[in-house]
Amino acid sequence: DAGVIQSPRHEVTEMGQEVTLRCKPISGHNSLFWYRQTMMRGLELLIYFNNNVPIDDSGMPEDRFSAKMPNASFSTLKIQPSEPRDSAVYFCASSSGDASISGNTIYFGEGSWLTVV
Amino acid sequence: AQSVTQPDIHITVSEGASLELRCNYSYGATPYLFWYVQSPGQGLQLLLKYFSGDTLVQGIKGFEAEFKRSQSSFNLRKPSVHWSDAAEYFCAVGASGGSYIPTFGRGTSLIVHP
């Protein structure tokens, strides 16, 4: 079975450039999450969707970050313009049901390693 | 707001030795608690979770964890560590308002010596 698929796996970009990270959740999963992992702050929830609708985006750091989920099988996290402090590993994850109330297991992708120079 | 503390940044054990990774949480009500493992270059994988009931929870890969309300702890244990257990381990607690969505601790890196 295919797990959560993220692309690109690695990206190096220059400061000021737009970065788009992509995610395909596990088929049939209703909830999708974007997390960011850094040495300084650990693993932080940026945003989560349920049935393609953003439910909680309180973790999105600032207006430079935006996330969309146009359909049940695809989501993007965009950073525009990117800054060196955005360098991190970005994880997409998904689960069945409404993750906030179902308690169903959350499955993580392998991450997108972003370096902004 | 809920929070999780993993006091040990690194733990080193010899292969075959027992393991206990510590986790303390702060949450006003009965928490939802999780342990995840992250192998190098990989995403996180759920080892086990506690929502209610039996306070000793069995997970995958031979791991178990015990919820102790009096100590606000949810320590992870394994009786005999294998070299393949070397990884980063994250404790997490369900978010405030009764949500199951995990908020993660900073992680403990497990090093296994042959």
Side-chain angles (χ1 to χ4, degrees), chain A residues 52-117:
Chain A
N52 312 337
V53 176
I55 303 300
D56 182 358
D57 65 354
S58 60
M60 295 287 265
E62 50 196 273
D63 292 345
R64 296 185 297 106
F65 285 70
S66 62
K68 294 182 179 180
M69 191 165 185
N71 57 62
S73 59
F74 184 66
S75 176
T76 60
L77 178 67
K78 186 174 294 186
I79 308 172
Q80 168 62 21
S82 58
E83 297 182 3
R85 60 192 169 121
D86 301 330
S87 298
V89 184
Y90 291 83
F91 287 101
C92 179
S94 71
S95 72
S96 59
D98 182 344
S100 67
I101 60 174
S102 69
N104 291 337
T105 298
I106 296 175
Y107 295 87
F108 283 76
E110 294 186 333
S112 291
W113 299 65
L114 174 65
T115 302
V116 183
V117 299

Side-chain angles (χ1 to χ4, degrees), chain A residues 2-73:
Chain A
V4 176
I5 300 172
Q6 293 186 245
S7 64
R9 288 296 314 278
H10 300 271
E11 177 146 353
V12 180
T13 190
E14 292 186 345
M15 181 174 62
Q17 296 298 305
E18 177 179 293
V19 174
T20 299
L21 307 178
R22 299 173 178 79
C23 176
K24 177 179 170 55
I26 294 173
S27 177
H29 280 190
N30 303 90
S31 292
L32 182 139
F33 311 82
W34 284 100
Y35 280 88
R36 177 174 67 176
Q37 185 178 38
T38 61
M39 290 293 292
M40 292 295 293
R41 301 176 67 90
L43 199 62
E44 307 170 276
L45 177 65
L46 300 178
I47 186 170
Y48 101 87
F49 295 84
N50 184 246
N51 292 327
N52 312 337
V53 176
I55 303 300
D56 182 358
D57 65 354
S58 60
M60 295 287 265
E62 50 196 273
D63 292 345
R64 296 185 297 106
F65 285 70
S66 62
K68 294 182 179 180
M69 191 165 185
N71 57 62
S73 59

